[in-house]
Amino acid sequence: MVDEKHHIVSSFDEELTRLNNIISQMGGLAESQLISAIRAIVKRDSELAEKVILSDHRIDTLEQEVQDFAVRLLALRQPMADDLRQVVTALKLSNDLERIGDLAKNIAKRAQVLNQVPPIRPVQVIPNMAKLCQEIIKDVLDAYIEGDAEKAQRVWARDQEVDDMYNSLFRELLTYMMEDPRNITASTHLLFIAKNIERIGDHATNIAETIYYRIKGEDLPMDTRPKNDAANFAVVEPNE
């Protein structure tokens, strides 16, 4: 009886490990998609942008795998307390990572259009903003793998940096458009690209909040990082 119980626990632990591995794989793909989408802008590489668009299905497939696997675990194992939080965390993270992948795909689509018009100076700000988001994604995935609530909280606090960069770029692009109407088309595409990056930062923040709850069993204290809501009104929300 003891051996049978040990086998069941061991088997469940293996299933949780598999679930975590799929999430890690999703995270790696999402990060890679963002890097490639931004490189397509900087290098004006429409072929690379197309590869990003066509590769998005890989993240979608993994999300479906997480959902199917998690539902099976919930039905067959009926986990409770910490085990239940682990499964629910995987479900939530897979959704946010899939959204990050979608936003990277949207950036790639904008890159293809942007590459058809003359380059403008503010485009150089985009890689810096994306690099910050990439670092946040990497750190939040490390926090998930390591089970580090404090690291998740530090990542969560960095979202304000992304918002500040977006607001600064928004003001710069508005000035650029007013100076010369010929810049309006390219600037508009850059605004939507920047908004997509800002939304990626928001999803990384969601992941950090989910990880913190998974480890601590309580929500992050929301008053420790006031959200600058100006970023949410600076431009029309992109489709995810």
Side-chain angles (χ1 to χ4, degrees):
M1 182 67 179
V2 174
D3 288 343
E4 182 181 351
K5 183 177 181 180
H6 174 77
H7 173 74
I8 292 173
V9 171
S10 176
S11 177
F12 183 58
D13 287 343
E14 290 172 1
E15 290 171 328
L16 287 178
T17 297
R18 179 186 167 193
L19 196 58
N20 291 340
N21 288 341
I22 301 172
I23 292 296
S24 296
Q25 187 179 355
M26 279 190 76
L29 283 174
E31 184 182 354
S32 176
Q33 287 282 87
L34 174 60
I35 292 170
S36 296
I38 298 303
R39 186 176 295 131
I41 295 171
V42 175
K43 301 293 186 182
R44 298 178 67 82
D45 188 339
S46 294
E47 184 176 338
L48 177 59
E50 184 66 18
K51 288 180 181 178
V52 173
I53 295 167
L54 295 176
S55 296
D56 180 62
H57 73 92
R58 297 164 63 195
I59 298 178
D60 295 340
T61 299
L62 287 173
E63 184 199 22
Q64 189 60 54
E65 186 176 345
V66 169
Q67 291 181 350
D68 293 344
F69 194 50
V71 168
R72 188 174 70 84
L73 280 179
L74 291 171
L76 298 180
R77 300 294 190 180
Q78 298 181 348
M80 299 179 67
D82 184 65
D83 290 339
L84 178 60
R85 286 205 302 271
Q86 286 195 59
V87 177
V88 173
T89 292
L91 280 170
K92 289 185 174 181
L93 263 60
S94 69
N95 180 69
D96 279 306
L97 291 170
E98 190 273 336
R99 293 300 183 202
I100 289 174
D102 281 348
L103 289 163
K105 179 178 69 174
N106 289 347
I107 292 170
K109 288 180 177 179
R110 292 278 175 180
Q112 289 182 319
V113 180
L114 193 62
N115 292 344
Q116 306 306 312
V117 299
I120 60 174
R121 187 179 65 250
V123 74
Q124 300 304 320
V125 181
I126 294 292
N128 296 332
M129 191 176 173
K131 186 175 185 296
L132 176 58
C133 270
Q134 178 197 339
E135 291 172 357
I136 290 174
I137 293 170
K138 180 182 182 302
D139 287 346
V140 82
L141 290 172
D142 287 345
Y144 174 69
I145 293 168
E146 297 164 10
D148 190 334
E150 285 68 32
K151 180 177 285 189
Q153 187 168 10
R154 289 195 297 272
V155 171
W156 177 76
R158 295 193 70 188
D159 182 56
Q160 187 62 55
E161 298 177 43
V162 180
D163 292 346
D164 290 343
M165 290 183 74
Y166 172 76
N167 290 329
S168 176
L169 177 61
F170 177 77
R171 289 190 293 269
E172 182 181 359
L173 285 170
L174 278 185
T175 302
Y176 210 66
M177 286 187 281
M178 288 187 290
E179 288 176 351
D180 189 344
R182 290 174 298 181
N183 295 324
I184 290 176
T185 298
S187 295
T188 300
H189 288 299
L190 283 179
L191 279 174
F192 276 99
I193 288 169
K195 189 60 182 177
N196 276 293
I197 297 172
E198 190 267 336
R199 289 292 296 134
I200 286 173
D202 286 343
H203 283 292
T205 298
N206 292 345
I207 291 172
E209 291 174 358
T210 301
I211 292 169
Y212 187 91
Y213 181 80
R214 146 75 186 90
I215 298 166
K216 296 288 190 178
E218 59 186 30
D219 292 331
L220 267 163
M222 302 304 290
D223 57 348
T224 59
R225 180 187 58 80
K227 174 74 172 179
N228 182 359
D229 291 328
N232 294 324
F233 299 99
V235 72
V236 177
E237 288 280 353
N239 292 328
E240 293 190 9

